[in-house]
Amino acid sequence: MSAVGSAAEARDVVIVGGGHNGLVAAFYLAKAGFKPLVLERRAQVGGAAITEELHPGFRCSTLAHLPGPLRADIVRDMQLEQHGLKLTTSEVSTVSLLPDGRALVLYSDAKRAASEIAQWSQKDAASYFDFDVALGKIGKVIGEALALTPPNIDNPSGGDLWGMLQTGRSIRNLGKKDLYRVLRWGPMAAADLVAEFFDTEPLRATIAARGIFGTFLGPWSAGSALVLLLRAAADQATNSSPAGSVQFPAGGVGAITQAMATAAQQAGAEIRTGTDVAEIRVKDGIATGVVLASGEEIHARAVVSNADPKRTLMRLVDPAHLAPDFIQTIKNYRSMGTVAKINLALSALPEFTALKSKGNSNLLQGRIQIGPEIDYLERAFDESKYGKFSRNPYIEMTFPSLSDPSLAPAGQHVMSIYMQYAPYKLRDGGWESQRTALGETVVKTIAQYAPNLPQMILRHQIITPNDLEETYGLTGGHIFHGELALDQFFTMRPLLDWARYQTPIERLFLCGNGTHPGTGLTGGSGANAARVIVKALKK
């Protein structure tokens, strides 16, 4: 990957940012006969999907620690497995730790999960199957919608009408009961949805937590059920149970984007790292190329931004090229993050009290969750509303070195931890003054369930929402490039009238997670955007 280029170049397409969606878009554009140039500010491609050295001999997925999962058609089209991607699917989906020393174990296979649930409640075990079937049916329909270009509501094209017709048929085929569920469940609170199926509090909390991850929502927030349904739709690729699937890439999550980069290059794309785009050049309302921080200008027929909508349209584009009402609207696009990431290099595997009798290491190969009840999750959210990070946070952690021992020296491990809630804006002081306290809170919380953890820590890496913005380019520190909510979803992602990967500037397109479907590391936004861009350029 070259880091230099000649002055006054001319290209078919310039893609700003080498995150996973930018690489997916580059691949499909190259396959369509164009010669895209991907410009990545950092020294390696990947965006939030990267693997880096945490401590000498220890490598960890720095930000995202699991794929979304990846859309199956993207994996197939890009031949990612032939380009070195190896995914290990864990039998264990989620282990939910309880303060009383017990643990609820949910497997990716619904039958095994129900068998475990039966030890808590026979009724809930039966309901788990019902919920699994309902989520499977509804998730399939939503999954079809996630692969569509959001229609032009005012003036739908023939393609829009056909897509809506196909989706309408799928919805109709659900039957009356599940159609009613689709319409009803989306606006609900995740806590209300799980309460309709389950009595066991740890089970309710474990599933409801999937509806709040990465969002400024609590389990009692309206619309949190929509996030749960979106994640269930993504799980269609792995046929997992309601607890979700867990896939670890050999070499960490960065192995995914390295394979994508290879696929894009072999298709005909060029990738330059260490290349910072300072400005998207616009003339007479049309994007004409980019200006690099070095002063070099690259002309292009089209510019595609893998950056989030606010960074693209409020920082890379001169506001003089946008209408005042549009500027006001994009300012109100919500992208305040709530997640911090902590990575640990460990001298050994911690011993979790609840898992001693169950076989500690085997059950640590999936997600481990601290969020034992709905009220615990809601209280963690409550603190963030007032500019404080949660002192008893919701935590999701993994030990990727269990499935891939190459990530750490023999007998030692890396631990990847999501902490929620950590609001982007703190009421008292900035994140630099709170960094140490954040790390201490996370370790203290986990040590309640694994008392020997503190003695095993060789190195901390604490990544705050401010780091997510400043180092990794995520405006507001939002891991999804903007809030996943009813009013920022589908035909309104990122904004109403601008959900079709286009912008008010002709030939400037968006392809990142701030566009539909925007649900994380799936590749869906990049693939959908490429389809629109190819059509526009061929006109």
Side-chain angles (χ1 to χ4, degrees):
M1 298 176 190
S2 169
V4 296
S6 60
E9 292 181 79
R11 295 288 180 146
D12 280 341
V13 182
V14 169
I15 298 177
V16 181
H20 78 284
N21 279 311
L23 297 171
V24 170
F27 169 81
Y28 284 111
L29 287 166
K31 294 295 285 186
F34 300 99
K35 299 291 183 183
L37 171 63
V38 180
L39 303 175
E40 169 55 41
R41 175 176 58 92
R42 303 187 75 238
Q44 65 171 315
V45 295
I50 51 175
T51 303
E52 295 176 308
E53 189 171 65
L54 165 66
H55 188 65
F58 293 78
R59 292 183 303 131
C60 187
S61 300
T62 308
L63 301 180
H65 62 198
L66 296 170
L70 295 169
R71 234 169 63 181
D73 59 321
I74 295 172
V75 174
R76 181 184 65 248
D77 292 347
M78 298 185 78
Q79 298 184 315
L80 295 181
E81 293 176 350
Q82 289 90 321
H83 294 304
L85 179 61
K86 296 179 181 178
L87 292 170
T88 300
T89 302
S90 170
E91 292 183 351
V92 179
S93 170
T94 309
V95 173
S96 184
L97 303 172
L98 276 65
D100 63 6
R102 294 182 297 164
L104 171 66
V105 180
L106 295 179
Y107 292 89
S108 296
D109 177 73
K111 187 174 182 180
R112 287 190 70 183
S115 177
E116 181 72 22
I117 294 166
Q119 299 176 37
W120 299 70
S121 165
Q122 290 286 346
K123 171 185 172 295
D124 284 359
S127 296
Y128 195 76
F129 279 116
D130 294 339
F131 193 54
D132 180 42
V133 171
L135 277 187
K137 289 179 180 178
I138 293 170
K140 184 178 180 181
V141 173
I142 294 176
E144 292 176 8
L146 297 185
L148 290 176
T149 301
N152 183 326
I153 301 298
D154 294 328
N155 187 26
S157 66
D160 291 338
L161 293 172
W162 177 250
M164 288 189 286
L165 176 63
Q166 294 295 96
T167 303
R169 285 176 175 170
S170 297
I171 291 173
R172 185 177 179 183
N173 289 338
L174 282 174
K176 185 176 180 180
K177 183 178 181 180
D178 287 317
L179 172 58
Y180 175 68
R181 283 172 165 172
V182 169
L183 298 174
R184 181 170 168 269
W185 283 2
M188 284 179 68
D192 284 327
L193 174 56
V194 296
E196 292 189 358
F197 285 85
F198 309 116
D199 295 328
T200 305
E201 189 60 34
L203 179 58
R204 288 182 178 184
T206 301
I207 296 177
R210 302 192 73 208
I212 62 174
F213 174 70
T215 70
F216 193 71
L217 299 171
W220 289 109
S221 299
S224 51
L226 171 65
V227 181
L228 174 58
L229 295 178
L230 291 176
R231 299 190 78 183
D235 286 335
Q236 293 298 304
T238 54
N239 297 313
S240 63
S241 71
S245 63
V246 176
Q247 292 182 315
F248 288 102
V253 166
I256 296 173
T257 44
Q258 290 300 314
M260 286 178 168
T262 301
Q265 287 172 313
Q266 289 193 7
E270 181 184 347
I271 299 172
R272 294 186 196 167
T273 55
T275 307
D276 189 7
V277 174
E279 179 187 351
I280 294 172
R281 185 58 60 86
V282 179
K283 184 178 180 180
D284 299 327
I286 301 172
T288 60
V290 298
V291 180
L292 306 184
S294 64
E296 176 188 350
E297 185 166 353
I298 301 174
H299 301 292
R301 291 177 58 196
V303 178
V304 182
S305 179
N306 188 188
D308 64 78
K310 278 193 169 180
R311 181 169 292 263
T312 302
L313 295 163
M314 295 179 67
R315 291 182 60 175
L316 295 178
V317 170
D318 187 332
H321 299 294
L322 297 168
D325 59 340
F326 179 86
I327 292 173
Q328 187 60 42
T329 305
I330 195 70
K331 280 182 179 178
N332 291 328
Y333 176 69
R334 300 194 308 286
S335 57
M336 294 294 184
T338 61
V339 175
K341 181 76 192 299
I342 291 84
N343 300 315
L344 303 178
L346 303 176
S347 60
L349 193 66
E351 189 172 76
F352 286 82
T353 304
L355 304 181
K356 281 183 180 179
S357 63
K358 294 176 176 283
N360 188 46
S361 61
N362 290 334
L363 294 178
L364 294 179
Q365 292 184 357
R367 297 186 197 91
I368 305 97
Q369 179 174 306
I370 297 175
E373 59 181 11
I374 294 290
D375 286 347
Y376 178 100
L377 298 174
E378 189 69 22
R379 284 193 296 268
F381 175 51
D382 283 342
E383 290 188 86
S384 70
K385 295 178 193 174
Y386 305 104
K388 300 178 181 179
F389 70 80
S390 306
R391 299 296 168 166
N392 293 291
Y394 158 50
I395 284 175
E396 177 186 298
M397 48 192 156
T398 64
F399 291 92
S401 48
L402 282 172
S403 61
D404 181 6
S406 72
L407 295 174
Q412 300 180 311
H413 290 277
V414 290
M415 187 175 185
S416 177
I417 306 162
Y418 285 128
M419 178 274 190
Q420 198 169 330
Y421 296 79
Y424 172 71
K425 288 186 176 180
L426 290 172
R427 186 179 68 178
D428 300 318
W431 269 112
E432 275 313 305
S433 65
Q434 297 290 327
R435 182 186 299 275
T436 300
L438 176 72
E440 290 174 347
T441 295
V442 169
V443 171
K444 179 182 176 182
T445 300
I446 300 172
Q448 296 175 38
Y449 303 86
N452 62 349
L453 171 66
Q455 292 76 44
M456 297 178 171
I457 298 173
L458 302 175
R459 165 79 200 283
H460 296 78
Q461 183 184 28
I462 301 168
I463 301 170
T464 70
N466 186 65
D467 297 325
L468 292 174
E469 179 174 73
E470 294 299 321
T471 304
Y472 302 100
L474 302 174
T475 300
H478 205 295
I479 61 173
F480 294 138
H481 286 199
E483 191 67 21
L484 280 173
L486 288 166
D487 62 333
Q488 293 188 175
F489 168 67
F490 197 38
T491 57
M492 294 177 284
R493 188 164 187 87
L495 304 175
L496 184 64
D497 296 330
W498 298 108
R500 295 167 59 82
Y501 313 99
Q502 298 168 329
T503 71
I505 295 168
E506 191 175 342
R507 296 195 181 181
L508 173 59
F509 301 88
L510 300 175
C511 74
N513 265 345
T515 65
H516 173 75
T519 48
L521 188 48
T522 68
S525 293
N528 291 0
R531 187 171 60 237
V532 170
I533 297 162
V534 167
K535 287 181 180 178
L537 291 179
K538 286 188 174 180
K539 283 183 179 180

